[in-house]
Amino acid sequence: MRIAPVIPSTRPELAAQEAQIQAERGRISPLYQVLLNSPPIAHGWEQMLSAVRNRNSLPAALRELVILRVAVLNRAPYEFDAHVPHALNAGVSQVVIDGLRAVPLAADLPLSPAERVALRLTDAMTRDIDVPQALYDEVKQHFDAQGQIDLVATAAAYNMVSRFLVALQIGH
C-alpha cells in the first residue's frame, strides 16, 4: 500500500464519518481506510458508491457482473475478490464468475441477452472509452433511461474504484 491507512477509531474527528461508512458497508475496508486520509473525498466516494451499489435499478446479479468484469479488465484482483461473494449471493453461478475472467468474453457463457450486452458495454467503456452507436442502440433495447444511466454509472464508478485500488496498491 502506497499510503498508510487510517486505522478505524484512532482519529476522533472521523468518528461520525466512520460510523456512516460502517452503517452503509458493514465494515471499514482497506479501501475506505486509505480514503479517510481525505475526509471530503471519502465522503463523496461513499455517497456515490453506495448509490451505485445499493440504490440503482439494475438487478444485483447484473450489477455484480459489471463490477467483476471491470475488475478483470483493469487487473484489480482485490476488487474482483471482494465482489465474488456479492455476486454469488445475487445468484451468479461460479461458472459465470470464472468465465468473466476471459478476454474476450466467451460466446458460450450462459448469460441473458441483457447481461451479454451490458458486459459488451462494460468492455467498450473500460477498454476503448468510446461506445459505438450500434452497441448503444442494443443497450437501449434492454434498458430504459434509468437502467441505461445506472448501467453506465456502475461501469464508470467501478473503473474509478479499480484504478484507485491499483494505483495505490490497495489489497496487494
Side-chain angles (χ1 to χ4, degrees):
M1 192 171 309
R2 295 178 189 233
I3 296 178
V6 173
I7 305 303
S9 303
T10 61
R11 292 182 44 193
E13 72 275 15
L14 297 176
Q17 196 167 8
E18 288 177 0
Q20 177 66 34
I21 294 166
Q22 182 79 28
E24 240 351 286
R25 303 278 168 182
R27 69 185 183 116
I28 302 173
S29 69
L31 168 62
Y32 279 93
Q33 290 175 32
V34 171
L35 282 165
L36 283 167
N37 282 288
S38 176
I41 296 296
H43 174 75
W45 188 289
E46 189 277 321
Q47 293 295 304
M48 186 178 102
L49 270 292
S50 290
V52 168
R53 273 222 35 244
N54 302 324
R55 294 184 283 282
N56 85 37
S57 65
L58 299 178
L62 177 61
R63 183 189 64 239
E64 294 302 325
L65 291 175
V66 169
I67 294 167
L68 291 171
R69 187 64 177 173
V70 167
V72 166
L73 296 173
N74 286 333
R75 298 176 308 278
Y78 176 83
E79 181 177 42
F80 190 92
D81 294 344
H83 279 271
V84 166
H86 298 295
L88 290 168
N89 287 338
V92 179
S93 72
Q94 190 64 54
V95 167
V96 170
I97 291 169
D98 294 341
L100 291 173
R101 294 180 187 272
V103 179
L105 196 61
D108 63 348
L109 202 58
L111 298 167
S112 72
E115 290 169 338
R116 189 162 297 283
V117 77
L119 290 172
R120 287 178 47 225
L121 175 75
T122 300
D123 282 22
M125 288 179 62
T126 304
R127 298 174 84 197
D128 305 324
I129 311 302
D130 293 321
V131 176
Q133 187 61 48
L135 173 55
Y136 203 81
D137 290 343
E138 287 183 59
V139 170
K140 293 191 298 190
Q141 292 174 19
H142 297 277
F143 300 93
D144 63 13
Q146 182 179 355
Q148 292 167 48
I149 294 297
D150 292 348
L151 177 58
V152 170
T154 300
Y158 278 89
N159 266 287
M160 178 182 73
V161 172
S162 63
R163 290 171 184 182
F164 188 89
L165 291 167
V166 171
L168 295 178
Q169 299 178 347
I170 299 170
H172 286 92

